[in-house]
Amino acid sequence: MQNDSIASHSAIATKDFVFQCGRFQLNLNRPHVMGIVNVTPDSFSDGGKYSTVDLAVEHALNLIEEGADILDIGGESTRPGAVPVPLEEELSRVIPLITRLSKACNIPLSIDTYKTEVMRAAIDAGVDLVNDVKALQEEGALEVVAANDQVGVCLMHMQGNPQTMQEDPRYEDVLQEVTVFLQNRLNLAIEHGIDKNRILLDPGFGFGKRTVDNIKLIQELSALQLLGQPLLVGLSRKAVLGKLVGGDEQQRLYAGIAASVISAMKGASFVRVHDVKATVDALKVVSAVS
């Protein structure tokens, strides 16, 4: 009961958090929606749909119209089994898009990458947030983010790597192991000079997790508020939802909305989604009753 009380207090405190996100300061007194813009041929849900700059810009502007608070741009799929792409190819996919969007839209832009050189180029092109599935573990990544004192960062937990992470993930206590990892990465980021008000944490749903692990993390999400940082949750169209409701990626809209609502009510400050308009409407109801 004491832990529940602490978690509740921390969730309330996080609502007063002002997140420094590049050119923007975001007041987290309500849940924010991160719209996904994948410029990849092989992303698990929308691979190839927005593979040109013009198509991606059109999609991004549509997501803004639907109410996205931030856009997450990715040039390399990190779905289970995905093959890494060469640095130059990832750069050629994301930098022209970031350059155009940084001039065309008035919401924060995020780069979904773990590569240090992509982070550096994306920041130079105008992104406001680095969303890293490897939590700045690549050589030089901590230093790149620390050197840009307004840019935000999201540190995510992943067991293994995208190529093998779903082959045989195992945990003795998934909540404890995720918490310890995120605490250690948070501490290291702060030691490198990255202010706490620039840091989000992501438990990494679907990244080296079994269905039982994902469900446990959803159930216990509020416990991660004890780390004192805003949380980002990405469950949109993921396999764990398919395990629960059936159907392919395109048939998980309602399950995704439910996951976003539950996450927000358990303290998530950001939900990363494909279906922006439906999620925005659902979270307006959450905000009204919270």
Side-chain angles (χ1 to χ4, degrees):
M1 200 68 177
Q2 183 181 6
N3 286 343
D4 291 342
S5 176
I6 295 171
S8 176
H9 173 76
S10 184
I12 293 170
T14 305
K15 287 189 174 184
D16 297 326
F17 199 101
V18 177
F19 178 53
Q20 182 66 52
C21 189
R23 300 162 291 167
F24 301 85
Q25 290 188 324
L26 304 181
N27 191 318
L28 303 187
N29 59 358
R30 63 170 178 84
H32 285 61
V33 175
M34 173 182 275
I36 298 169
V37 183
N38 285 325
V39 281
T40 55
D42 59 342
S43 289
F44 80 96
S45 178
D46 54 3
K49 291 182 68 175
Y50 314 111
S51 57
T52 70
V53 175
D54 286 342
L55 286 174
V57 168
E58 180 182 6
H59 177 55
L61 295 178
N62 285 339
L63 294 184
I64 295 172
E65 186 70 22
E66 291 179 357
D69 297 296
I70 182 170
L71 298 177
D72 192 40
I73 299 163
E76 178 181 75
S77 175
T78 51
R79 63 178 173 77
V83 177
V85 303
L87 171 63
E88 291 304 322
E89 184 172 349
E90 185 176 350
L91 287 169
S92 71
R93 291 175 180 178
V94 299
I95 300 305
L97 176 59
I98 293 166
T99 300
R100 282 182 57 176
L101 288 178
S102 66
K103 300 172 184 175
C105 66
N106 62 349
I107 66 171
L109 302 177
S110 166
I111 179 65
D112 181 359
T113 190
Y114 60 86
K115 294 188 178 82
T116 302
E117 290 305 318
V118 177
M119 294 177 194
R120 182 179 289 111
I123 291 169
D124 290 343
V127 298
D128 304 284
L129 174 72
V130 171
N131 183 17
D132 183 2
V133 298
K134 293 188 177 181
L136 301 183
Q137 294 185 84
E138 291 290 294
E139 183 177 355
L142 276 163
E143 289 77 11
V144 165
V145 175
N148 292 272
D149 61 4
Q150 300 298 307
V151 172
V153 63
C154 182
L155 307 174
M156 196 195 81
H157 174 274
M158 173 171 57
Q159 185 181 100
N161 58 61
Q163 293 75 53
T164 61
M165 62 188 180
Q166 289 305 114
E167 290 180 1
D168 189 28
R170 292 179 181 272
Y171 298 88
E172 292 187 11
D173 183 330
V174 65
L175 178 62
Q176 180 185 33
E177 291 175 50
V178 169
T179 301
V180 168
F181 174 86
L182 292 177
Q183 182 70 74
N184 289 340
R185 298 310 298 173
L186 172 63
N187 292 345
L188 195 59
I190 293 170
E191 289 171 12
H192 276 74
I194 302 174
D195 291 340
K196 290 188 65 168
N197 68 342
R198 297 165 55 195
I199 302 174
L200 306 178
L201 301 177
D202 181 349
F205 289 100
F207 284 82
K209 315 278 193 312
R210 300 163 297 179
T211 299
V212 65
D213 301 320
N214 288 307
I215 291 174
K216 176 70 172 178
L217 286 171
I218 296 169
Q219 291 173 328
E220 303 293 339
L221 187 65
S222 58
L224 291 175
Q225 293 280 331
L226 295 172
L227 294 170
Q229 297 298 124
L231 301 177
L232 183 150
V233 167
L235 277 161
S236 179
R237 301 186 186 177
K238 286 191 173 176
V240 60
L241 302 182
K243 295 283 188 182
L244 297 176
V245 303
D248 62 20
E249 294 88 350
Q250 306 304 319
Q251 297 173 303
R252 298 170 188 169
L253 168 63
Y254 306 119
I257 294 171
S260 291
V261 167
I262 293 167
S263 298
M265 295 188 75
K266 287 180 175 288
S269 296
F270 291 84
V271 291
R272 181 181 181 274
V273 301
H274 300 84
D275 304 293
V276 167
K277 179 63 167 66
T279 306
V280 167
D281 285 353
L283 294 188
K284 285 179 180 177
V285 177
V286 173
S287 295
V289 301
S290 296

